[in-house]
């Protein structure tokens, strides 16, 4: 490659009419006699390259025709505007050099099952979907940092090894720390509270660990969380901070990653509505909503919609299966096979929703004050709202030890969860912190925690205690909501779940 200046696909727009060289991988190809169409990807985008017989030596033409998916190569050609091309430009090839010819790449353009793709994550990262998610994740994390940096927050790196439980004892990953028991951190919050008493407004951002045995679409055992903590703030102040923060990061992704959102089929018009103020409900209002007629009617309507959707999918499947019986070109057959795999996945998901609808309706109707909101309760509430919903003032016994008791009603705490809309559910959990020494001590005992582990945490309530609070936003859940990915394991390059630690 020496001597040639390499151009990136994302820069082709600056080179119309010029001859350039790209270095990348063969994403897909097809040939029809004297013409070959090679789709090349180079990390910045995709480009269709057109190769005419005679424009390169016959031997090279032949090698390119047989070149396997994901082979690496350089291609040289003239940049031509082309409306039908993915990036708006195509390359009319005059030369190519094969760097490494790949054979039998296991992930073909046809659809594959989820488990297969997870076992091939090291290669699946090259797919358009994973590429798009990585780009969006990058923007989101950059926006998270920008928001706090530009609003007077100081970054504090909190430890990953901890001596005490940050949230609960159930989901602790325990380990042996030179003969002493220790854990992987569940949250940076407690350490961050110390820093807030020094710097006022602080945030931490890093991986957090929870030994979650549930294999739901919302749980990883290792996930990334950003947590701001602010001295002298009340619950209203926290809600305002959270809504301006979420609106900011969503707007940034919309501005930067529209093509990627389109590739993923994200609901862009809904994302454009994510502006303050968000909805606010107390837990008690949420409980009334769940057990009321409005929810009953909403779920009944939803069941009808699901049944209609099921009939539509079945009709489409029957139609495609009939077409498979007719003589077709290979590429057309492959296209139909891929669509059928997607439709059958869709059908299975719709069936599961139809089956779950009455269960969710029963759970909602039986909801009683005092229970934490379950996954299905959150789904229902968030499906009934177009914008994110804050649920505040949960029962004290359902929540973590550090949350401040509402002085006007000691059965509830000054906390909130933020539920993303369209059924996604919780993306943020936060609260005002108990700042009274005796009440905090009593809560530690009540939750069965050892007060000796929390001496330093209690000290904050001994020396200049102030009202303060903060929250934590889960990065993978936020990406799943924004992109419309059903499972958060797609939203981190190498997901960790109870049964997955292979790659
Ligand atoms: O609600 P959580 O447990 O709150 C805390 O950890 C507080 N200490 C935060 C704070 O006030 N500083 O977790 C916060 C968020 C959740 O809303 C969710 O987005 C994410 O972290 N989260 C998970 N994401 C993926 N997998 C899991 N197992 C998660 N558990 C929590
Ligand atoms: Mg929570």
């Amino acid at each position: 490659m020496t001597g040639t200046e390499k151009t990136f696909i994302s820069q082709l727009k600056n080179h119309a009419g010029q001859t350039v060289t790209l270095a990348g991988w063969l994403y897909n190809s097809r040939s029809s006699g004297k013409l070959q169409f090679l789709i090349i990807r180079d990390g910045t985008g995709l480009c269709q390259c057109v190769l005419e017989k005679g424009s390169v030596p016959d031997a090279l033409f032949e090698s390119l025709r047989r070149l396997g998916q994901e082979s690496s190569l350089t291609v040289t050609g003239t940049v031509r505007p082309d409306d039908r091309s993915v990036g708006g430009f195509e390359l009319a090839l005059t030369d190519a050099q094969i760097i490494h010819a790949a054979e039998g790449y296991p992930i073909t353009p046809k659809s594959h099952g989820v488990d297969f793709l997870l076992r091939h994550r090291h290669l699946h990262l090259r797919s358009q979907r994973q590429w798009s998610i990585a780009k969006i994740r990058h923007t989101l994390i950059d926006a998270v940092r920008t928001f706090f940096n530009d609003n007077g927050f100081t970054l504090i790196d909190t430890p990953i090894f901890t001596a005490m439980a940050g949230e609960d004892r159930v989901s602790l990953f325990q380990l042996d720390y030179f003969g002493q028991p220790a854990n992987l951190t569940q949250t940076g919050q407690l350490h961050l509270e110390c820093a807030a008493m020094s710097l006022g407004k602080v945030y931490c951002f890093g991986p957090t660990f929870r030994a979650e045995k549930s294999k739901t679409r919302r749980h990883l055992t290792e996930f990334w969380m950003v947590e701001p903590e602010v001295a002298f703030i009340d619950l209203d102040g926290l809600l305002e901070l959270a809504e301006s923060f979420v609106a900011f990061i969503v707007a940034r992704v919309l501005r930067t990653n529209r093509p990627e959102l389109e590739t993923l089929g994200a609901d862009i018009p809904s994302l454009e509505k994510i502006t303050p103020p968000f909805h606010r409900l107390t837990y008690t209002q949420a409980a009334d909503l769940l057990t009321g007629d409005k929810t009953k009617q909403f779920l009944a309507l939803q069941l009808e919609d699901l049944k209609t959707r099921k009939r539509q999918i079945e009709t489409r499947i029957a139609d495609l299966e009939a077409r498979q019986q007719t003589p077709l070109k290979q590429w057309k057959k492959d296209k139909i096979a891929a669509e059928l795999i997607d439709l059958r996945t869709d059908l299975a998901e719709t069936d599961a929703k139809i089956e779950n609808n009455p269960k969710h309706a029963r759970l909602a109707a039986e909801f009683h004050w005092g229970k934490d909101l379950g996954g299905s309760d959150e789904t229902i509430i968030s499906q009934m709202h177009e914008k994110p919903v804050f649920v505040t003032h949960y029962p004290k016994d359902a929540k973590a030890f550090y949350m401040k008791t509402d002085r006007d009603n000691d059965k509830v705490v000054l906390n909130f969860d933020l539920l993303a809309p369209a059924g996604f559910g919780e993306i943020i959990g936060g609260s005002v912190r108990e700042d009274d020494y005796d009440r905090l001590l009593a809560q530690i005992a009540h939750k069965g925690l050892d007060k000796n582990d929390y001496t330093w945490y209690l000290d904050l309530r001994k020396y200049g205690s102030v009202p303060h609070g903060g929250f934590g936003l889960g990065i993978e859940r936020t990406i799943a909501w924004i992109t419309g990915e059903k499972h958060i394991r797609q939203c981190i390059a190498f997901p960790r779940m109870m049964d997955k630690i292979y790659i």
Side-chain angles (χ1 to χ4, degrees):
M1 244 188 296
T2 36
T4 39
E5 221 185 301
K6 197 174 67 161
T7 302
F8 288 105
I9 292 172
S10 59
Q11 295 306 315
L12 287 181
K13 55 182 180 295
N14 304 327
H15 296 275
Q18 298 171 11
T19 297
V20 300
T21 297
L22 303 176
W25 296 262
L26 183 62
Y27 190 69
N28 203 350
S29 66
R30 74 192 154 85
S31 60
S32 58
K34 294 194 169 128
L35 272 185
Q36 284 183 43
F37 299 93
L38 310 174
I39 312 281
I40 305 286
R41 54 168 201 88
D42 74 344
T44 73
L46 291 176
C47 176
Q48 170 163 286
C49 302
V50 186
L51 181 61
E52 268 183 68
K53 198 166 168 68
S55 57
V56 296
D58 281 356
L60 180 59
F61 188 85
E62 205 36 44
S63 310
L64 288 169
R65 199 175 61 76
R66 279 188 271 110
L67 196 62
Q69 190 188 339
E70 287 304 321
S71 294
S72 47
L73 71 168
T74 62
V75 289
T76 302
T78 319
V79 182
R80 293 196 299 223
D82 180 83
D83 287 345
R84 292 155 306 168
S85 252
V86 224
F89 291 90
E90 65 173 22
L91 213 59
L93 292 196
T94 51
D95 196 11
Q97 239 181 346
I98 297 168
I99 299 171
H100 179 250
E103 277 174 40
Y105 186 69
I107 307 176
T108 63
K110 292 178 200 165
S111 282
H112 295 277
V114 174
D115 284 333
F116 177 88
L117 291 177
L118 280 172
R119 276 199 85 73
H120 290 83
R121 191 59 152 238
H122 53 301
L123 302 175
H124 192 221
L125 286 184
R126 305 177 190 196
S127 71
Q128 271 302 95
R129 286 196 82 79
Q130 278 299 314
W131 182 88
S132 302
I133 291 170
K135 285 290 186 190
I136 290 170
R137 185 177 170 113
H138 174 82
T139 304
L140 188 87
I141 288 176
D142 190 43
V144 160
R145 292 188 187 282
T146 303
F147 179 86
F148 290 116
N149 294 344
D150 289 356
N151 282 287
F153 285 74
T154 302
L155 175 73
I156 295 292
D157 295 317
T158 49
I160 286 177
F161 289 136
T162 62
M164 72 315 151
E167 286 295 318
D168 60 72
R169 296 211 56 86
V170 188
S171 68
L172 277 179
F173 269 114
Q174 293 190 311
L175 48 95
D176 176 65
Y177 192 78
F178 304 107
Q180 265 191 39
N183 321 293
L184 294 179
T185 185
Q186 297 170 309
T187 168
Q189 177 200 321
L190 276 53
H191 296 89
L192 208 55
E193 284 181 53
C194 310
M197 299 304 130
S198 164
L199 293 140
K201 298 207 280 186
V202 288
Y203 74 102
C204 65
F205 185 28
T208 33
F209 306 89
R210 307 225 179 146
E212 305 276 5
K213 297 219 172 72
S214 56
K215 293 187 213 162
T216 76
R217 67 186 173 87
R218 301 181 218 219
H219 290 95
L220 296 170
T221 52
E222 177 179 315
F223 62 97
W224 283 67
M225 176 157 62
V226 58
E227 300 178 84
E229 190 72 28
V230 183
F232 303 105
I233 197 165
D234 60 11
L235 188 57
D236 280 339
L238 282 176
L239 301 188
E240 277 163 29
L241 178 66
E243 71 192 353
S244 55
F245 168 56
V246 170
F248 177 86
I249 59 179
V250 170
R252 179 63 71 86
V253 171
L254 275 170
R255 201 165 73 227
T256 317
N257 298 102
R258 198 165 277 261
E260 290 80 18
L261 290 169
E262 281 166 3
T263 300
L264 296 168
D267 185 351
I268 294 176
S270 297
L271 293 173
E272 281 167 339
K273 293 189 194 129
I274 308 301
T275 49
F278 297 168
H279 300 289
R280 285 161 165 72
L281 283 179
T282 63
Y283 166 91
T284 305
Q285 287 168 331
D288 290 345
L289 179 67
L290 284 171
T291 50
D293 285 343
K294 205 170 152 197
T295 296
K296 219 175 280 160
Q297 283 153 14
F298 175 80
L299 288 173
L301 259 174
Q302 190 179 62
L303 187 59
E304 285 317 304
D305 287 348
L306 285 167
K307 286 179 179 164
T308 310
R309 168 104 193 105
K310 179 179 160 94
R311 284 193 295 274
Q312 284 165 347
I313 301 172
E314 283 171 340
T315 311
R316 179 78 184 147
I317 289 179
D319 184 36
L320 289 178
E321 282 172 346
R323 279 171 60 196
Q324 276 184 322
Q325 305 306 318
T326 62
L328 291 170
K329 292 223 168 85
Q330 190 56 43
W331 70 269
K332 190 90 202 164
K333 275 192 206 161
D334 288 349
K335 207 169 155 217
I336 291 179
E339 190 180 339
L340 275 171
I341 290 179
D342 288 344
L343 282 168
R344 289 189 185 119
T345 311
D346 215 2
L347 184 63
E349 278 164 11
T350 309
D351 275 335
K353 284 184 190 159
I354 290 173
E355 203 187 310
N356 282 332
N357 178 285
K359 278 188 226 159
H360 290 177
R362 201 178 53 245
L363 281 171
E366 286 168 2
F367 191 84
H368 60 86
W369 202 97
K371 256 177 69 172
D372 199 0
L373 292 179
S376 69
D377 307 317
E378 282 181 5
T379 305
I380 294 168
I381 295 170
S382 83
Q383 276 170 343
M384 291 169 83
H385 293 88
E386 273 202 331
K387 277 198 197 189
V389 188
F390 286 115
V391 183
T392 64
H393 300 87
Y394 280 62
K396 186 173 168 176
D397 287 335
K399 287 290 167 184
F401 71 95
Y402 52 71
M403 294 187 180
K404 181 167 177 165
T405 309
D406 184 353
R407 303 299 194 249
D408 297 328
N409 173 4
D410 68 3
K411 295 211 161 30
V412 302
V413 283
L414 299 176
N415 82 314
F416 71 95
D417 277 358
L418 180 67
L419 311 184
F424 191 79
E426 180 193 335
I427 55 169
I428 293 186
S431 73
V432 179
R433 320 305 185 188
E434 185 53 75
D435 50 35
D436 178 80
Y437 186 94
D438 294 326
R439 284 175 185 261
L440 183 58
L441 190 63
Q443 271 304 103
I444 288 172
H446 181 66
K447 298 277 177 183
L449 300 167
D450 182 352
K451 69 171 191 301
N452 295 320
D453 288 345
Y454 296 89
T455 311
W456 58 265
Y457 187 64
L458 283 156
D459 265 358
L460 304 179
R461 281 74 181 164
K462 261 169 79 180
Y463 306 109
S465 189
V466 298
H468 68 285
F471 58 82
L473 170 128
I475 292 294
E476 291 77 17
R477 286 202 195 171
T478 307
I479 297 170
W481 160 52
I482 292 176
T483 59
E485 273 301 319
K486 291 193 190 73
H487 202 300
I488 66 169
R489 66 186 166 211
Q490 302 306 348
C491 302
I492 182 163
F494 300 101
R496 297 291 178 251
M497 282 167 289
M498 191 177 152
D499 57 349
K500 294 227 158 37
I501 194 166
Y502 165 61
I503 298 170

